[in-house]
Amino acid sequence: RAFFKTEEEAVRGLHCYIESTAANSVISVTLPTPKESVSAEMLQALVAAATDAGAQSIQVRSVEEEAHLYSEFVDERFLRVALKDLSVEELESKAKNAIPSQPPELNPPNDRNGLEDLICASFRRESEALRHQGVSRRQGRAKPMPISQFLRLPDVKSVVEKSNLVEAEAIALRVYTGPMYMFYNAVLRRFPEYVVADLCGNMYETTISIICSGITKLSRTTEIPANRTLYRGLGGVLLPEQFWNDTGQGFLGGVEFGLMSTTTNKEIAIQYSGLEKQRAMLFEIQAGRIDIGGFLGFLSQYPGEEEFLMQPLSCLEVMGRPRVELVANGELIIFPVRVNVNLKGLTVGEMVERRKALHLSMASNLAEELSQSLQVQVESLQGQCCDDELLMARNARATIREQFREIMDGHRGIAAETFNQEERFKELIVEVIDSKVQGNDKMKAIIEIIQGLHQDDGDGTSTIQQLFDRALSVDLRKFSDRNVLLSLRAGVFDFPWRDFSIKKAAVDLGDWAYLSLDPGQAAQLRRVLASLVRDADIRVVTCHQQTVSFDAFFAADVCLDSQKIQPCIQEICFLLTLSPTLSKLSLRGCGLSVADWVDALTILAACPHFSVANGVPVASFRAADMAAIELCDLGIDDDAAPVACALALRQSATLTCLDLGGNALGDSGCKVLVSCLSELPSLERLSLRDN
């Protein structure tokens, strides 16, 4: 059940219903209107609809009188079958109506077959006339067919391909040309209110958007009519005052909220002008290359209407005084208008690509911001570095910009649909923003390298160049890993940064070896690590599959007695140099050799306050080229003997006197001492009194 305000709306609405019926069926339409108000045009339109649907017959009745208003068959085969059920009198009546100017004279009288032949002959003549015009039983009506077949028709396919229409756009535009147009425009205009209310909230957003997309594409290829004139009938609508008088807006006219159908055929437009309501009006529109809309004739359900469709929110400006023309059924008021078509709508493709376009635009802005930021960093080196170093900085800037462009190019190659996936879109946004930050971080690290923060005690220039080349080769996106930045700042690329960067209590050094560092790298690594662990609470260190526990890593007095520290003594001592307070270290019962203690004391020399190892005062013997070492009456026992020997070996070239009198050395301590004598070629006096 549907309600329509006008006969035209009723025809289109019923037409939509009839098309959905099965072929060879009998269609019965009961109109909620008195018999006398049903026009012949409406009845004929319903018959045409049934014809196109392949129905057997159609019957039209009035709901008030249950009166039989009209009945017609759409195929001669069905007509002959139905005629068999009629009496001779009924057949004679039908024959007279079929040939009113020549009443049938039958011989013999009451010849049923002759009457049936006359009626069918009239039906054939009418059908032949319509076929000769190239249309169906309604003027201008297209023959229904499956949409897939329709889109393959040569005339349709060529325009679709030329205009780059997608299937959804072609379907939506074709649907618009049928009865659904009034629902779409009711939504856009919010009028008639009863139609909008009956939609129960369905606003057809997707369909209307796709229709507008198709119009935009078609308008780019639609040819301008030869006389550059389009017409639009107003269906008896009374135009508001703004079309007649200037109400302070500076022009006459208004904005059409709905989709606006126009035609090059003035006669078609007159049919929609409202002549039957005695207030016929017509827009006469001057078309241009921009303000033309899209031609729908190639896919319209009514190709004879030669329809040009314009976007919603088109502005209509009256360009002259209205004029009156006399037409067959009355007077017609014609408004010459100019249409400014709404050009802001996006096509389906543009809507699909909208997020991608926004993303790439943002990425382009970020690239420019990164370029400016890099330039500022390069300029900060002016007056601080030589020309070669400035050239290195400029080359770094160019490399970082190129790496950012490569990331952008990768995003350009991603399908537009991917950007409409929420999680993936978020990932891409984060990646491009992070890449800008990482570009700045990379430049800062390179500038630190250029400024010589990583040079060693030897060939500093060589070290800087190696670090510079290494920094440039690192992928920009890897700078999201803070460990990469730490590696560059420290100049050490195999150090296990992770546990330090997140300040874990248990630190795992894996198989990292302190011996892989040269003195310059050790110093820089120490500086970077010290800033990381300043407020950390390290309790456990694992290295070379050995675990060492600390009561307090940053204590002044560190005791690691009886732990299996020998395999990682160098690495543990290096970590202890990070402590700014270390003064005493006890490693009793750890099984350390003299060589282990030589390494330990060499590394721990970087601690400014370190002074005692296993009870042996070591701070007094850091100077090179000492001739005598006196360690008397200190209680040095067998566990401390390797420390004393290590002190002696560090002065092996110049040491002549080693005094260990008054201590607690036993046989094992003396054996350690004797094993080192061969490495003390200058030693002249050894005192072991009172042990």
Side-chain angles (χ1 to χ4, degrees), residues 192-499:
E193 294 180 0
Y194 70 91
V195 175
V196 178
D198 285 345
L199 295 178
C200 300
N202 185 0
M203 295 291 102
Y204 298 103
E205 295 96 335
T206 301
T207 306
I208 292 173
S209 296
I210 294 174
I211 289 171
C212 293
S213 172
I215 295 171
T216 298
K217 290 183 179 180
L218 285 174
S219 66
R220 298 167 183 166
T221 58
T222 294
E223 296 182 1
I224 303 173
N227 63 356
R228 306 181 73 90
T229 304
L230 299 173
Y231 302 94
R232 173 171 174 76
L234 302 183
V237 172
L238 294 176
L239 289 174
E241 183 183 358
Q242 288 85 346
F243 280 82
W244 303 88
N245 300 304
D246 187 351
T247 58
Q249 300 298 319
F251 80 108
L252 302 181
V255 174
E256 168 60 85
F257 287 178
L259 292 152
M260 190 168 74
S261 296
T262 64
T263 178
T264 56
N265 190 327
K266 188 175 181 179
E267 296 303 318
I268 294 292
I270 291 174
Q271 293 178 22
Y272 289 94
S273 65
L275 278 172
E276 74 282 358
K277 298 180 181 179
Q278 303 303 310
R279 49 174 184 257
M281 295 185 187
L282 198 72
F283 282 151
E284 185 179 74
I285 302 168
Q286 290 303 306
R289 178 63 275 165
I290 303 300
D291 302 323
I292 189 172
F295 177 62
L296 304 186
F298 72 101
L299 51 68
S300 175
Q301 295 182 42
Y302 301 94
E305 292 183 349
E306 301 177 19
E307 181 175 3
F308 286 68
L309 185 60
M310 297 187 182
Q311 297 272 18
L313 300 179
S314 294
C315 180
L316 293 86
E317 182 176 0
V318 179
M319 300 306 294
R321 294 179 62 84
R323 67 180 188 273
V324 178
E325 288 187 5
L326 294 177
V327 293
N329 298 321
E331 295 180 345
L332 178 66
I333 301 176
I334 299 178
F335 283 80
V337 298
R338 182 177 66 188
V339 175
N340 291 315
V341 173
N342 173 22
L343 300 176
K344 294 186 178 295
L346 299 177
T347 66
V348 171
E350 290 167 343
M351 284 187 282
V352 171
E353 299 225 359
R354 190 174 188 179
R355 278 192 176 183
K356 181 177 181 179
L358 289 173
H359 176 79
L360 294 178
S361 177
M362 179 193 70
S364 180
N365 290 338
L366 291 176
E368 184 60 31
E369 292 174 8
L370 175 61
S371 179
Q372 295 175 2
S373 175
L374 297 177
Q375 182 61 32
V376 170
Q377 294 185 63
V378 171
E379 292 174 354
S380 69
L381 294 176
Q382 293 283 356
Q384 301 181 32
C385 300
C386 65
D387 291 343
D388 288 343
E389 291 169 342
L390 281 175
L391 180 60
M392 291 172 67
R394 293 190 183 103
N395 290 339
R397 173 179 178 266
T399 299
I400 293 172
R401 290 177 61 189
E402 180 60 30
Q403 289 178 338
F404 190 87
R405 277 195 294 269
E406 289 175 359
I407 294 172
M408 286 183 59
D409 290 343
H411 286 207
R412 288 192 184 93
I414 297 174
E417 292 80 2
T418 302
F419 290 83
N420 296 324
Q421 301 169 9
E422 297 297 331
E423 288 302 319
R424 185 67 179 123
F425 185 46
K426 179 180 178 181
E427 291 172 2
L428 293 170
I429 290 176
V430 170
E431 181 178 38
V432 75
I433 292 175
D434 284 352
S435 295
K436 177 198 169 185
V437 175
Q438 293 149 11
N440 280 312
D441 288 343
K442 182 171 183 175
M443 192 66 190
K444 290 175 184 177
I446 289 174
I447 287 178
E448 288 181 7
I449 295 171
I450 293 174
Q451 289 174 330
L453 294 180
H454 306 288
Q455 59 184 324
D456 57 19
D457 297 331
D459 186 1
T461 302
S462 174
T463 303
I464 291 174
Q465 185 63 52
Q466 291 173 2
L467 288 173
F468 177 82
D469 294 341
R470 183 70 177 266
L472 280 186
S473 67
V474 176
D475 186 277
L476 193 62
R477 282 165 291 195
K478 290 186 178 180
F479 276 76
S480 60
D481 183 354
R482 191 179 178 213
N483 298 341
V484 173
L485 186 59
L486 292 172
S487 296
L488 286 173
R489 287 177 175 169
V492 180
F493 297 94
D494 60 350
F495 187 78
W497 294 97
R498 182 180 178 276
D499 293 345

Side-chain angles (χ1 to χ4, degrees), residues 631-636 659-664 687-691:
L631 298 172
C632 305
D633 304 315
L634 297 175
I636 296 175
D659 190 346
L660 294 171
N663 289 301
S687 175
L688 296 175
R689 60 180 174 78
D690 299 329
N691 276 282

